[in-house]
Amino acid sequence: TSVEGQSGNTLISTACALGLARHTRELVTLIEANLLRPAVSNFLNLESGPGFGELLAGANPVEDCLRPMPGCSELTVLPAGAGRDPIRGELAAKEAKEVLTSLFSKGRYVILDAPPLLESNGARTLLEHVDGVVLVLKSGSSRKDQVREATDIIQKAGVDMHGAVLNRFRSPLPFTGPA
């Protein structure tokens, strides 16, 4: 997750899922839970169709929503589906918990691309279902008070903080080393 939108957490989540699947040869499931700003299908060039939002609404079974990743048989992707505003409380509902529990059994590793923690109550609800969090920070934009608030929320939820990624950093120094 991130503290604010446009931090690049979808890109980081997607890269982590691909890396895990390719290098461990274990089954990995990537769940895009950011219903407002879906981007995973575009990143991975997957066909559009029903996704996490439709699954939560009960409109489609899980088999219709999961997408295999071409060229990486160990990775299964659950895109967000059609972009929409999240429905207040939908991730706290019993049905959502059942959906998430079944999805977490789909792979050895499950990467959950969550919406920004400080902009979404749903992201806070998702903390109940995860083992750990990587917080993505946007260089030059994420403020210390936001990072402290997000860290406090994560700690109060009893979730391990695996670390933070400073994304979109541009060094003022020229790169002169070997590539």
Side-chain angles (χ1 to χ4, degrees), residues 41-177:
S41 290
N42 287 339
F43 282 160
L44 298 176
N45 200 25
L46 298 174
E47 288 183 27
S48 61
F52 188 56
E54 290 77 13
L55 191 58
L56 288 175
N60 294 84
V62 69
E63 298 80 25
D64 291 352
C65 300
L66 291 170
R67 311 270 193 300
M69 179 63 204
C72 186
S73 61
E74 293 84 8
L75 178 59
T76 303
V77 181
L78 176 61
R84 65 169 173 85
D85 286 331
I87 299 168
R88 188 173 180 88
E90 74 182 320
L91 292 172
K94 177 184 166 203
E95 296 80 10
K97 291 179 182 187
E98 291 170 358
V99 164
L100 287 167
T101 299
S102 77
L103 289 169
F104 289 147
S105 68
K106 298 280 181 205
R108 165 83 196 271
Y109 299 102
V110 178
I111 306 291
L112 189 63
D113 176 30
L117 192 58
L118 302 183
E119 296 177 6
S120 167
N121 286 330
R124 295 173 191 212
T125 302
L126 289 170
L127 290 173
E128 298 172 15
H129 302 282
V130 300
D131 296 324
V133 172
V134 173
L135 191 61
V136 179
L137 309 173
K138 185 177 179 183
S139 179
S141 180
S142 298
R143 297 185 330 262
K144 288 181 188 176
D145 62 313
Q146 291 175 315
V147 176
R148 280 190 198 104
E149 183 180 353
T151 303
D152 287 346
I153 291 168
I154 293 165
Q155 287 175 343
K156 286 177 184 170
V159 177
D160 288 337
M161 177 99 150
H162 293 313
V165 174
L166 181 62
N167 201 16
R168 300 182 182 202
F169 175 75
R170 299 267 187 237
S171 175
L173 302 173
F175 180 74
T176 58

Side-chain angles (χ1 to χ4, degrees), residues 1-2 6-17 30 32-34 37-44 111-116 136 167-168:
T1 189
S2 60
Q6 306 298 311
S7 295
N9 55 307
T10 297
L11 181 62
I12 300 293
S13 299
T14 303
C16 285
L30 172 62
E32 181 179 31
N34 191 344
R37 294 184 214 113
V40 167
S41 290
N42 287 339
F43 282 160
L44 298 176
I111 306 291
L112 189 63
D113 176 30
V136 179
N167 201 16
R168 300 182 182 202

